[in-house]
């Protein structure tokens, strides 16, 4: 049976005006589930590579991406690769709901909801969303995830709820916002590039103001998601490294290696120059492309079902 063409007036599916905010929340929630299912193992490897320190013999625990995956699976099984998944699963559902809701509202402010509008407006919408609600929701979610992922074997925290309980009990609610400045510094430009890339990739397959089939829309999600992933992770990765190190540092302020975001930049560079900022770059990109393709396919599919 031939597919029935549908019209995409403003590029990627964004929902109609009526109930569009609810559709953003529901589709973002579905995108969060797709994100964790597809990408958590590679995210664990990325965090372990970024936060590893030399052992007593002066050697790093992991030689690279494959070595980290092999040793993690050998010593901890499949569960080791999904360590800390409870936080990002619940968090990614809330996080992506917040991302796509915030982005949907930001599109109205930047004119990115106008049919056939310029691509730069999507960058502005993403940057605006990244610097507001997204950072508020994302910081504690990522903190708990990173604390658990950085533990090799048995560590201080037994799970996401145990980590949240211990951190807030000892350091108050502000404890889960460790690294918020570095998160904000990363999110503004990177979410701008993220949504710019998503729309750019989608338009390569489904030009705005033209009819396209559901298959084309699905392919648009794949390509747009891949471009979004590269835009976020592939261009300004040093900001991600600093953010991860700030959140992976000791929870006790008096014992932290890094006194500020700028201090983290300086000490990271002092280790091995610019190359230090790109630790974990390969697994991050290997994760970013398929995971964000899954996210945007899920988001667009749900929005199309709800329209």
């Amino acid at each position: 049976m031939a597919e029935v063409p549908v019209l995409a007036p403003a590029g990627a599916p964004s929902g109609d005006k009526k109930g569009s905010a609810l559709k953003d929340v529901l589709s973002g929630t579905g995108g969060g589930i797709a994100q964790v299912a597809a990408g958590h193992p590679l995210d664990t490897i990325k965090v372990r590579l970024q936060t590893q320190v030399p052992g007593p013999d002066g050697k790093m625990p992991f030689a690279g991406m494959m070595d980290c995956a092999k040793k993690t699976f050998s010593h901890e099984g499949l569960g080791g690769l999904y360590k800390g998944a409870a936080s990002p699963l619940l968090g990614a559902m809330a996080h992506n709901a917040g991302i796509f809701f915030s982005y949907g509202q930001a599109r109205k402010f930047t004119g990115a909801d106008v049919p056939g509008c310029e691509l730069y407006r999507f960058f502005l919408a993403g940057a605006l969303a990244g610097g507001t609600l997204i950072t508020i929701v994302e910081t504690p979610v990522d903190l708990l995830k990173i604390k658990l992922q950085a533990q090799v074997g048995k560590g201080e925290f037994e799970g996401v709820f145990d980590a949240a309980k211990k951190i807030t009990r000892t350091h108050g609610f502000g404890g889960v916002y460790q690294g918020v400045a570095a998160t904000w510094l990363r999110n503004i430009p990177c979410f701008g590039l993220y949504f710019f890339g998503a729309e750019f990739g989608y338009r390569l397959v489904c030009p705005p103001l033209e009819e396209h089939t559901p298959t084309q829309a699905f392919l648009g999600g794949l390509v747009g998601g891949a471009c979004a992933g590269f835009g976020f992770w592939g261009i300004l990765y040093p900001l991600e490294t600093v953010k991860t190190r700030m959140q992976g540092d000791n929870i006790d302020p008096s014992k932290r290696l890094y006194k500020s975001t700028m201090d983290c930049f300086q000490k990271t560079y002092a280790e091995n120059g610019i190359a230090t900022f790109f630790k974990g770059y390969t697994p991050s990109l290997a994760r970013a492309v398929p995971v964000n393709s899954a996210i945007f396919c899920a988001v667009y599919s749900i929005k199309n079902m709800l329209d």
Side-chain angles (χ1 to χ4, degrees), residues 52 102 133 194 211 277:
Q52 66 176 332
S102 183
L133 181 61
Y194 185 71
E211 290 185 340
F277 289 100

Side-chain angles (χ1 to χ4, degrees), residues 17-301:
K17 298 295 183 181
K18 184 178 180 180
S20 61
L22 179 59
K23 292 174 184 177
D24 288 335
V25 170
L26 293 176
S27 60
T29 300
I33 296 172
Q35 172 187 333
V36 175
H40 192 78
L42 281 169
D43 193 49
T44 296
I45 293 169
K46 173 189 76 73
V47 169
R48 291 191 171 187
L49 288 172
Q50 286 179 318
T51 59
Q52 66 176 332
V53 295
D57 59 357
K59 295 181 179 179
M60 290 292 190
F62 310 115
M65 176 181 172
M66 294 306 298
D67 183 56
C68 182
K70 180 180 178 181
K71 289 179 178 176
T72 298
F73 184 79
S74 176
H75 296 139
E76 303 173 61
L78 185 63
L81 293 171
Y82 277 93
K83 187 174 269 188
S87 173
L89 179 59
L90 298 175
M93 292 166 68
H95 180 210
N96 280 277
I99 285 175
F100 285 93
F101 169 78
S102 183
Y103 173 63
Q105 300 306 302
R107 285 182 64 172
K108 299 174 183 178
F109 285 101
T110 63
D113 61 339
V114 177
C117 69
E118 302 91 339
L119 280 170
Y120 79 85
R121 295 183 184 276
F122 293 91
F123 176 89
L124 294 178
L128 177 60
T132 52
L133 181 61
I134 292 175
T135 295
I136 295 172
V137 174
E138 182 179 62
T139 302
V141 170
D142 270 6
L143 178 80
L144 297 174
K145 173 177 67 70
I146 288 170
K147 293 298 186 190
L148 290 167
Q149 287 177 318
Q151 294 182 163
V152 178
K154 187 173 178 61
E156 178 184 1
F157 306 118
E158 297 179 2
V160 60
F161 297 110
D162 180 60
K165 179 181 178 181
K166 288 179 178 177
I167 291 172
T168 54
R169 183 175 59 195
T170 306
H171 303 284
F173 185 71
V176 295
Y177 276 88
Q178 177 183 336
V180 65
T183 303
W184 182 76
L185 182 65
R186 182 203 66 171
N187 280 358
I188 292 176
C190 287
F191 272 108
L193 292 168
Y194 185 71
F195 284 108
F196 174 90
E199 185 65 20
F200 173 80
Y202 189 88
R203 289 188 181 191
L204 290 178
V205 181
C206 303
L209 303 177
E210 293 184 11
E211 290 185 340
H212 59 266
T213 66
T215 298
Q216 286 177 301
F218 178 81
L219 292 175
L222 287 177
V223 176
C227 291
F230 180 80
F232 191 100
W233 299 98
I235 299 174
L236 296 175
Y237 189 77
L239 296 179
E240 162 64 18
T241 295
V242 170
K243 176 256 184 195
T244 299
R245 288 190 167 209
M246 290 293 293
Q247 292 195 305
D249 205 355
N250 199 298
I251 195 66
D252 185 345
S254 66
K255 298 179 181 179
R256 287 178 188 167
L257 174 62
Y258 310 115
K259 305 306 178 186
S260 67
T261 302
M262 182 56 66
D263 183 53
C264 185
F265 269 107
Q266 293 172 340
K267 288 179 177 176
T268 300
Y269 182 80
E271 287 181 26
N272 192 31
I274 193 68
T276 314
F277 289 100
F278 287 89
K279 283 184 177 180
Y281 184 75
T282 299
S284 289
L285 279 187
R287 171 186 179 276
V289 171
V291 166
N292 284 285
S293 289
I295 289 173
F296 278 90
C297 281
V299 168
Y300 293 166
S301 295

